[in-house]
Amino acid sequence: MKRKSRLAAWLLAAGVGTLAASGVASGAARAEDGTAALAGKTCGTLVSRVAEIPGSGPVFLRSYDSSFGVGQTSELPLREAAFTYDNALAVIALVACGKTEPALRIGESLLSAATLDRARRQGRLRNTYRAGAQTQKPIPPNGWWDVTANRWFEDAYQVGSATGNVAWAGLALMTLGQATGEERFRNGAAELARWVVANTADPRGPGGFNGGVQGFDDKPQALTWKATEHNTDLAALFGWLERSGTAGDWAGPEKAARGFLDRMWADGGGHFPTGTAPDGVTVNRATSGLDAQLWPLLLRGAPEAWRAALDYAEKAHGVDGGFDFNDDRDGMWVEGTAQAALVYRLLGRSDEAQRLLAEVGKEVSRGGHVWATREDSITTGLAIGPDSTTDDFRYYRRPHLAVTAWTVLAAVGWNPFTGERVK
C-alpha cells in the first residue's frame, strides 16, 4: 500500500475522513444556499420593478436602474431607455422565477411592438423603447426632450433594429407561449422571425444573417457585418419555432444560421470568431467576444467539440473572479460571468458555476439590480455604430436589467434558448 493510501485508510479509521467529507458537504450546501438566495433576491427585484408601474397593462422596464440614488445616468438617451434585449431577458427570467403575470406585462408590450411598428412594418422591432406603461399603439421608440435645444430627439441606434435583439424578443415570446399555451405569442415570434429572414438574410461567404438596420426611417443604413452572437440567437429561435410546429418554413433559416456557426467554428480552430467584417465574408479576427464562445453551447444539439470554446474563454477572457467581455482582460463583465455560470451548470460543472455565482452575488446593488461591471468601465473591442472610427463601445459600472436577468437564469438554472431547466 502506498503511503498516501495508508494515510487515507488511517484517517477513515479515525473518523477524520468522515468529518472532512461532512465539511465538503456542508460547504456545497452553503454554496447552494447562496445561489438560492441570489435567485430569490434577483427574482424579487424584477417582480418589484414591474409592480412599481401602476396598473396591470403592458410595460417596458428601464434598462439602467437608479433606485435608491444608485446608478443614475446623466445621459438623456439612457435615462428612460428600455432596451428590447434587456426586456426580453426580463420576460424569460420572470418565467424562470415562476412569475408569469409580471412577465406577461412586458411580453404584451413586445407582442404589440412586434405586431405593428410605426413604419407599418409587421415584425420590425426597434432596439429601444421608452420605459413605463405602454398606452400608445403603435408603441413609439425611445426619445427625449432636450431643454437646451428645445426639441425632441431620437437616437440612430435606438430606433434601429439589430438582428440579435429581434431574435431575443422572439425567444421571450416563445417562452410565454410555452408558459401560457397561448398561440398568439408564438405567432408574434413568427412575425419577428419572418422580418429577420426577409431583411437580413445574406448568402455571401459563410451565409447566415447580417446585423440588421440602423438609422432613422427616412435614411436607414444596413448593417452588413454578421455576428456569431446574432446567428446563435437565430438558430435558437428558428429551431424552437420548428419544434413547436408554428406555421412557416423554419428548417431552412435554422440551417442557414447553424451553417454560419459551423463556418465560424472551422475558421476559429477551437473557438468562435465574433463574425465577419462589413463585407459579410471576411472573418473578423480583430477582437474576441465572450458571448460568441458561450452562447452556442446553450443551443439544443450543440456538438461536443464546441465545448473547447469554453476552454478558450477561460484562457482568453478569464479574470480574477470571472470573465471579461473581450480578450484584453481589463475587468470583469458581470453579465458574461453569469452566462458562463449557466454554461457550467449545463455541462454538469456545478462547482465552477457556484464559484462564479458567488462572485456575481457580490455585485448586487443596493437597489437590487446587478452591476454591469466590477470595475468603473471595461472595453469590448467593438464600435458603437457604423460611423464610429474607434472601438468606442464600453461597459460601465451601472445597475443593469439584462445583467440581473442573466443572474436569475444562472442561479435558477434556465436555458433561454430552449425554455428548459438545467441541473
Side-chain angles (χ1 to χ4, degrees):
M1 183 183 290
K2 295 182 180 179
R3 184 178 183 279
K4 185 176 181 181
S5 298
R6 285 200 302 271
L7 178 60
W10 180 85
L11 289 170
L12 287 170
V16 178
T18 302
L19 291 173
S22 176
V24 170
S26 63
R30 284 195 300 272
E32 290 180 3
D33 288 345
T35 296
L38 180 61
K41 180 180 289 187
T42 46
C43 283
T45 296
L46 297 181
V47 171
S48 67
R49 290 304 180 273
V50 175
E52 286 169 3
I53 302 173
S56 58
V59 301
F60 277 129
L61 296 183
R62 191 170 52 212
S63 289
Y64 293 95
D65 185 62
S66 59
S67 300
F68 302 96
V70 176
Q72 179 65 54
T73 174
S74 60
E75 299 172 63
L76 291 174
L78 300 181
R79 206 173 263 182
E80 297 299 327
F83 285 86
T84 297
Y85 166 76
D86 304 338
N87 277 267
L89 275 166
V91 168
I92 299 170
L94 283 164
V95 172
C97 294
K99 303 296 183 180
T100 305
E101 287 303 315
L104 279 167
R105 292 189 68 186
I106 307 172
E108 294 290 0
S109 293
L110 289 173
L111 182 61
S112 180
T115 304
L116 181 61
D117 180 69
R118 72 179 181 186
R120 301 189 181 279
R121 296 189 183 93
Q122 285 194 328
R124 169 129 192 229
L125 254 172
R126 307 299 175 130
N127 291 328
T128 318
Y129 295 91
R130 192 169 179 81
Q134 303 301 310
T135 58
Q136 289 183 254
K137 297 288 183 69
I139 298 174
N142 184 47
W144 64 97
W145 182 263
D146 189 304
V147 176
T148 303
N150 195 35
R151 56 166 289 200
W152 184 258
F153 279 91
E154 291 182 351
D155 177 80
Y157 170 79
Q158 292 188 4
V159 300
S161 301
T163 300
N165 296 339
V166 177
W168 273 101
L171 290 167
L173 293 178
M174 292 300 293
T175 301
L176 283 175
Q178 178 176 276
T180 65
E182 295 187 41
E183 190 176 355
R184 64 195 181 99
F185 290 111
R186 292 193 298 273
N187 291 339
E191 287 289 353
L192 295 175
R194 291 187 190 99
W195 184 89
V196 168
V197 172
N199 292 276
T200 73
D202 183 354
R204 294 177 300 167
F209 300 84
N210 68 30
V213 179
Q214 179 157 318
F216 303 104
D217 292 356
D218 58 341
K219 292 182 180 179
Q221 183 176 3
L223 300 174
T224 53
W225 44 263
K226 303 173 194 172
T228 299
E229 172 209 327
H230 288 183
N231 280 271
T232 304
D233 309 338
L234 290 173
L237 176 58
F238 294 143
W240 199 340
L241 286 165
E242 177 70 14
R243 292 193 305 275
S244 69
T246 305
D249 172 23
W250 308 118
E254 181 189 15
K255 183 178 179 180
R258 281 294 295 261
F260 181 89
L261 298 181
D262 290 335
R263 285 288 300 273
M264 289 299 104
W265 180 253
D267 287 335
H271 77 283
F272 289 98
T274 58
T276 75
D279 64 7
V281 176
T282 306
V283 176
N284 181 6
R285 304 183 189 279
T287 188
S288 179
L290 180 63
D291 47 7
Q293 313 311 319
L294 300 179
W295 292 7
L297 302 182
L298 296 173
L299 288 172
R300 184 186 291 267
E304 188 170 338
W306 286 4
R307 297 183 184 184
L310 182 55
D311 299 330
Y312 168 85
E314 291 170 345
K315 296 172 184 174
H317 296 262
V319 297
D320 180 31
F323 290 85
D324 189 8
F325 178 87
N326 64 348
D327 53 0
D328 67 0
R329 295 187 292 179
D330 63 343
M332 189 171 90
W333 183 40
V334 182
E335 180 179 336
T337 301
Q339 294 167 12
L342 178 60
V343 171
Y344 279 132
R345 288 191 71 161
L346 181 69
L347 299 181
R349 298 167 61 175
S350 59
D351 289 347
E352 288 102 324
Q354 299 285 0
R355 176 180 60 81
L356 291 182
L357 284 170
E359 294 298 324
V360 171
K362 297 175 184 177
E363 303 302 327
V364 179
S365 74
R366 192 153 50 102
H369 278 69
V370 184
W371 296 97
T373 64
R374 183 177 57 194
E375 289 71 22
D376 287 341
S377 72
I378 60 174
T379 62
T380 66
L382 303 175
I384 290 177
D387 298 326
S388 298
T389 57
T390 63
D391 52 345
D392 53 357
F393 179 58
R394 302 177 70 94
Y395 285 113
Y396 295 89
R397 184 169 174 77
R398 292 171 175 158
H400 197 262
L401 179 59
V403 189
T404 308
W406 272 111
T407 300
V408 167
L409 297 178
V412 171
W414 184 278
N415 188 338
F417 284 168
T418 64
E420 299 168 334
R421 292 195 182 275
V422 301
K423 293 182 180 179

